[in-house]
Every structure is written in structure tokens, then in C-alpha cells.
């Protein structure tokens, strides 16, 4: 099994050398080429290759599905950036900011269609299974994004609600990437499902980490401004747990702070102070560990030689031990 | 071969009795259910069934692909209504007008995914071919919509440019509906391609008719206000030909009229007057007849008994002899 970075390299070599779109009309396709060349970590396609290599040498179908996954992921980012009115992504103008909302809708649509054409290239033997997983996942990612938008308008979001949203918006695609790779490697349904569970739990742990770093990360390592979620009044694992455990005074103050439009450092510090008083940091770490343990349990149960699993364990470490 | 209206009825019986979406989150799926129950002519899925029945008794795969086509068509309408800032469709609020642009983006996205899940239900034997046609068509429809938006900003649009845009935006889906039905009925590639050509030409003739009726239709029969395209300064077969054949004075006046924001009846009448002076009405009718003749030529060449083709000929009449 090759490590994550090697698989990312293998994927990028092929993906970046492939013509994914026609040239004309360039008003439709140029935005997609622009967005793809902004790069990205390519974690999801690499997970597809890794799921594949766990059971076999990496085959061509795995590369096609990995490309479909990456195109799908980019399609969701383009459309999300419209909904979020996001000016920047990866430090550069988003597609809607650069080309307008209408073109961003259409370019995203045609990117999704291109993803399905990649799937159409795989062996007939697997196409129904892969399409079924891919469609279900795509549907769930849309559901997750809708729930995320719904939560912005909701006063109270419970932890189970938030877990469901994160599972749909983030975890299922990581999980399905591993699962589809495994299916194409000839894995049994049981083994492919265990990898899926591994992905779901890693995804949840990753999101807890992400929420945690926004409040407790070290700015110079985190790479972005601390407290971005707090300034945006975003619901996160931290705010949800704080509101559930705060005393009435803390709760009142937190609710007040998280409804003001105020991007001051004082607001961030006051919110983080309440988080600390409510021991949200300790709670978040232990919840993260719970999901990591669940993930490892699923990985242990996959019926392949233990030493083949090292790269997957390293992925968990890579995603979760990061401080940025 | 059953006539168009019978096939529309058969399709609607199944389509309307099918659960296309989960219930939750209803913020995502309710807009799609709302939009689907607004109805529509269901011409495209009926053409798929008709293409199928030309070669065989209608099979289950044809119903699945017909449903995929109808979901795809509705997806494009939902996204088009965002881009066009359209308040009404079929006399009722559009999805973006009723639920907001963000939900309309996502509900449209998930409708497209649902279309692909219908395709996933067909016989493995046909899935690569159908996916290939479907993906190519979906891509072309996006290209057509982008070109349509591009043309709004362009001063000069030539007839070949406009024909390409209409082919992509309107004709290819009608054509592919027939073709996919034929493929699923066991038609040879040659016969399926002839039906595709029939659809392309009928689509062009239909659009000429549509543009013609906007300027020359009788209001009480046309069902919508005459001159809607003129008021919106839309480029149509009529404006393009008029600008190509007008004398300098007519051209100057027409260009002036078609850049003003003026929804008066006088503007409509003045533009129609120039159309008449340039004999645009005669030209449009003869161009329409040219495409109808091309369509019939392709249909004649399809290697099935002539009396089986009657329903398809009737479709052309239904679409083209209408005055509304």
C-alpha cells in the first residue's frame, strides 16, 4: 500500500493530464478549467485509490471513479460558493465571484455531468453498484448542504442534528470514496462497508478537529484567521455543546454574542472564554477520540492483512493530528 | 404505435404514481415535488416511449429512461428560472421565486442526480450506450443555455450561431429522447441515428414556429401575450433574419427598438411592421418547411414498416401546426 501523498501524486499526474471538457463554448468551460487548476488536496480521489489498493493493484476503473469523485467534489464547491456568496477559495476568486452566478450554476452543472461520464468508462460488471453508491452519496451531499443552510436560520440545533448534517455534508463522500475504490478492487460487500464506516467516523473526527482549530488553533500554524466561525456566527460542535452545558448567564451571553454582527477580536476572545469555562475543548477532544476509535475498530475488522492497512491509519493521523 | 396523447397518458400514470424523492429534508425536496406537480406537456418522455414502440412493445427500461429525461428537463427549467430571474412558469411561481435561489440551485442539483438513478435501473446491456447519449445531451443542453446567455450580450448574432444555440438548447433533448427509446427497443444504430436526425429537425422547426407565433400569432389562440420576445429584446429567428435583410433605415430603427426597455404595444407593432416589410414571415415559414422536410426524409429512411411511423408524423403535425 502506497502512502497518501504518493497516491495523490499518482492521481494528479493522470487527472491534470486529462482533457475533461471541450474547448467551446469557453464561456462555459473556462470557469471549470480555472477552478480545477486552483488545485485542492485531492484527498477524496486518493482515498478511492487507497480503498482500491487495499484489495488489489490499482486498476483503471479506480482512476476513472477517482476522477468522477474529484469532479463531483469541485461541482459542489462551485455551487456552494454561490450559496455562501464566498469571494475566495484557496486564496483566489471563486467561480461566481469571477464569472458571475449564472455561469457558476451552469459550469457546475456541466461538471457534474462530466463526473458521470467518467463513471461510464468503467467495467460493465461494476457500473450498477458504483452508480448506486455515487447517486446516493451525491443526494446526501445535497441534503447536507440544505440542512447547513436551514441551520443558519434555526435558533436551536441539537448535537444529533449537527452530527447528521456533518455526516451528510462531509463524511459520506470520504466514506463512499473508500467504498467505491474497494468495490472496484473486488472487496466483499462486508469489507467495503467497513471501509465506509471508517470513512464516516474519520469524517466526523475531522470536522470536530476543524471546528476545534477555529477556536483553539495557533494562528501561525492554522494558516487562517482564528475565530472565523465565531465571527460568522456559525453553528459548530463547539457552540452546540457550549449552549447545551452553559449556565444561564453564560448561555445568555453566548447567544447574544453569536447573534451580533461584530468581527472584533474581543468577540472571539469572549466566546472562546465561555468555551473554556464550559470545558468545550476537553469535550471536543474526547468526542474526536471516540470517533477515531470507532474508525479504527471498523478498519481492524476489514479482512485483509494488518500490514496492508498502515496507509489508511496514516491518513487518519494526517487528517487529525494536523494543527492547520 | 400509439398516438402521442396516449403515450403521454401512459407515462403520466406511472410517473405521477412514483416516489421520486425522499420526504426529508422537506426544505430540499418539497420544491421539486411542487415543481413536478405543476405538470408540463411531457413531450420528451412520450417521444422516448414512441421511439421505443417503433421497434418493440414498450419495455420497462424505456419508462425508466423517459422518467430520467423528464427529471432532467425539469432540472434544467429550475436552473434556467434562476438565471432568467423568471417569476412564473406554467402560470405559477417558479422554484427560485417561491423558495429562493439557493434552494433552487440545490433542488435542481438533486433532481439531476435522481435522473441518473432512473438510468441506473435499466438493463446492464444498454447502460453504457444510454449513459453516453444522456451525458452528451446533458452537456449540450448546458452549452446551449450558456450560448443563449452569451447572445444576450452580443450585438450581432448570425443565423448559423443561432441555429447552433437552438440545436443545443432545444433540439438535442427531443432528438436524444427518440434515440434512447429506439436503442432500448433494439433498433440498429443507423435507425436510432435517423430518429435522432428527425428530432433535431423537428426541434428547429418547432423553435421557428415558436418565434413566429410570438410576433404573428393570434393572441386568443397563442395563449400568451403577443410580442413577449420583442419586449424582452430577445434574439430570435425573426430578428436575426430581419437584421440581415433590412435596408439601412429599417436596420437602424430595428436596432434602436430592440435596445430600448419599453413594453408598449407601439414597440411591438413597429417591430412586427419591419418584420413584414422584410418578409420575415414568409422566410420563417419556408425555413420551417425546410426542416420539416428534412425531418420527414430521415423518418422515411428508418427501416420499419411505413404504417408504424404514423404517430411520429402526427407529432410533427401536433408540434408544428399548432397556433398556440
Amino acid at each position: 500500500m502506497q502512502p497518501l501523498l504518493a497516491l495523490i501524486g499518482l492521481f494528479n499526474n493522470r487527472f491534470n493530464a486529462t482533457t475533461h471538457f471541450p474547448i467551446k463554448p469557453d464561456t462555459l468551460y473556462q470557469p471549470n478549467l480555472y477552478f480545477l487548476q486552483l488545485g485542492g488536496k485531492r484527498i477524496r480521489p486518493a482515498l478511492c485509490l487507497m480503498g482500491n489498493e487495499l484489495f488489489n493493484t490499482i486498476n483503471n476503473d479506480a482512476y476513472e471513479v477517482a476522477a468522477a469523485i474529484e469532479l463531483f467534489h469541485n461541482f459542489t464547491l462551485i455551487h456552494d460558493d454561490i450559496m455562501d456568496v464566498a469571494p475566495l477559495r484557496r486564496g483566489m476568486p471563486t467561480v461566481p465571484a469571477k464569472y458571475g452566478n449564472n455561469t457558476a450554476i451552469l459550469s457546475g452543472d456541466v461538471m457534474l455531468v462530466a463526473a458521470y461520464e467518467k463513471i461510464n468508462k468503467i467495467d460493465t460488471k461494476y457500473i450498477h453498484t458504483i452508480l448506486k453508491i455515487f447517486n446516493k452519496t451525491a443526494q446526501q451531499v445535497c441534503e447536507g448542504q440544505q440542512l447547513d443552510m436551514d441551520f443558519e436560520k434555526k435558533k436551536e440545533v441539537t448535537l444529533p442534528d449537527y452530527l447528521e448534517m456533518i455526516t451528510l455534508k462531509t463524511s459520506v463522500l470520504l466514506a463512499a470514496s473508500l467504498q467505491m475504490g474497494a468495490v472496484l478492487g473486488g472487496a466483499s460487500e462486508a469489507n467495503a462497508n467497513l471501509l465506509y464506516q471508517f470513512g464516516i467516523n474519520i469524517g466526523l473526527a475531522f470536522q470536530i478537529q476543524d471546528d476545534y482549530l477555529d477556536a483553539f488553533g495557533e494562528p501561525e500554524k492554522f494558516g487562517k484567521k482564528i475565530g472565523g466561525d465565531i465571527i460568522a456566527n456559525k453553528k459548530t460542535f463547539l457552540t452546540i455543546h457550549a449552549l447545551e452545558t452553559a449556565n444561564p448567564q453564560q448561555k445568555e451571553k453566548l447567544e447574544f454574542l453569536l447573534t451580533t454582527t461584530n468581527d472584533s477580536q474581543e468577540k472571539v476572545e469572549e466566546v472562546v472564554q465561555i468555551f473554556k469555562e464550559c470545558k468545550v475543548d476537553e469535550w471536543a477532544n474526547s468526542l474526536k477520540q471516540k470517533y477515531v476509535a470507532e474508525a479504527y475498530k471498523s478498519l481492524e475488522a476489514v479482512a485483509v492483512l494488518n500490514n496492508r492497512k498502515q496507509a489508511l491509519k496514516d491518513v487518519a493521523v494526517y487528517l487529525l493530528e494536523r494543527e492547520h
Side-chain angles (χ1 to χ4, degrees), chain A residues 71-141:
Chain A
L71 291 174
F72 172 79
H73 178 57
N74 279 273
F75 142 76
T76 65
L77 297 180
I78 291 173
H79 278 191
D80 283 2
D81 284 341
I82 306 171
M83 298 179 228
D84 299 342
V85 200
L88 296 175
R89 162 117 22 211
R90 295 166 191 152
M92 295 290 284
T94 59
V95 172
K98 193 173 162 80
Y99 299 95
N101 281 355
N102 287 355
T103 289
I105 293 172
L106 267 181
S107 296
D109 291 345
V110 88
M111 179 105 73
L112 177 57
V113 172
Y116 279 103
E117 191 52 22
K118 299 288 178 197
I119 292 179
N120 198 26
K121 298 208 185 308
I122 70 173
D123 191 326
T124 313
K125 184 165 93 176
Y126 291 118
I127 198 160
H128 283 298
T129 310
I130 294 297
L131 261 183
K132 191 173 172 185
I133 297 170
F134 193 89
N135 288 337
K136 183 173 164 236
T137 306
Q139 184 182 312
Q140 289 176 320
V141 172

Side-chain angles (χ1 to χ4, degrees), chain A residues 9-252:
Chain A
L10 281 179
F11 174 76
N12 269 331
N13 284 348
R14 266 181 78 134
F15 189 75
N16 296 340
T18 307
T19 304
H20 300 292
F21 300 102
I23 293 166
K24 283 185 162 188
D26 60 351
T27 41
L28 179 65
Y29 293 118
Q30 182 54 39
N32 284 349
L33 297 178
Y34 162 77
F35 196 65
L36 288 179
Q37 61 81 29
L38 291 184
K41 293 199 207 74
R42 315 292 196 213
I43 298 285
R44 292 158 192 81
L47 287 178
C48 176
L49 299 184
M50 199 174 275
N52 193 245
E53 203 178 26
L54 191 61
F55 300 95
N56 211 325
T57 51
I58 301 174
N59 54 42
N60 193 57
D61 287 356
Y63 279 106
E64 296 293 355
V65 170
I69 291 166
E70 187 60 21
L71 291 174
F72 172 79
H73 178 57
N74 279 273
F75 142 76
T76 65
L77 297 180
I78 291 173
H79 278 191
D80 283 2
D81 284 341
I82 306 171
M83 298 179 228
D84 299 342
V85 200
L88 296 175
R89 162 117 22 211
R90 295 166 191 152
M92 295 290 284
T94 59
V95 172
K98 193 173 162 80
Y99 299 95
N101 281 355
N102 287 355
T103 289
I105 293 172
L106 267 181
S107 296
D109 291 345
V110 88
M111 179 105 73
L112 177 57
V113 172
Y116 279 103
E117 191 52 22
K118 299 288 178 197
I119 292 179
N120 198 26
K121 298 208 185 308
I122 70 173
D123 191 326
T124 313
K125 184 165 93 176
Y126 291 118
I127 198 160
H128 283 298
T129 310
I130 294 297
L131 261 183
K132 191 173 172 185
I133 297 170
F134 193 89
N135 288 337
K136 183 173 164 236
T137 306
Q139 184 182 312
Q140 289 176 320
V141 172
C142 291
E143 292 175 3
Q145 171 68 6
Q146 182 65 46
L147 288 178
D148 198 12
M149 296 197 299
D150 292 346
F151 287 178
E152 281 174 28
K153 293 174 207 145
K154 256 181 138 172
K155 199 161 168 258
E156 294 240 331
V157 173
T158 66
L159 184 60
D161 287 344
Y162 188 72
L163 282 168
E164 186 196 6
M165 185 275 281
I166 293 301
T167 301
L168 293 169
K169 188 171 167 164
T170 302
S171 289
V172 294
L173 187 56
L174 295 166
S177 300
L178 287 160
Q179 184 189 23
M180 289 191 279
V183 165
L184 295 169
S188 69
E189 197 179 331
N191 280 336
N193 288 345
L194 285 166
L195 270 189
Y196 185 86
Q197 281 310 318
F198 171 81
I200 291 289
N201 286 298
I202 290 292
L204 290 172
F206 177 78
Q207 187 66 46
I208 296 167
Q209 171 87 347
D210 207 56
D211 289 358
Y212 176 91
L213 287 175
D214 183 77
F216 298 109
E218 292 173 45
E220 60 276 21
K221 291 185 185 166
F222 189 44
K224 52 183 180 182
K225 217 171 129 189
I226 291 294
D229 291 345
I230 293 168
I231 287 164
N233 296 332
K234 260 195 77 176
K235 291 178 183 81
T236 68
F237 276 106
L238 311 184
T239 60
I240 287 165
H241 186 70
L243 288 169
E244 283 181 356
T245 53
N247 65 36
Q249 291 87 337
Q250 290 165 327
K251 192 173 174 188
E252 193 184 349

Side-chain angles (χ1 to χ4, degrees), chain A residues 1 54 178 191 194-195 197-199 202 292-306 308-314 316:
Chain A
M1 283 268 288
L54 191 61
L178 287 160
N191 280 336
L194 285 166
L195 270 189
Q197 281 310 318
F198 171 81
I202 290 292
V292 172
E294 286 287 330
Y296 281 176
K297 216 170 86 184
S298 298
L299 187 58
E300 287 306 316
V302 176
V304 299
L305 283 179
N306 237 320
R308 292 187 71 82
K309 299 174 186 169
Q310 192 55 46
L312 277 162
K313 287 182 194 157
D314 293 344

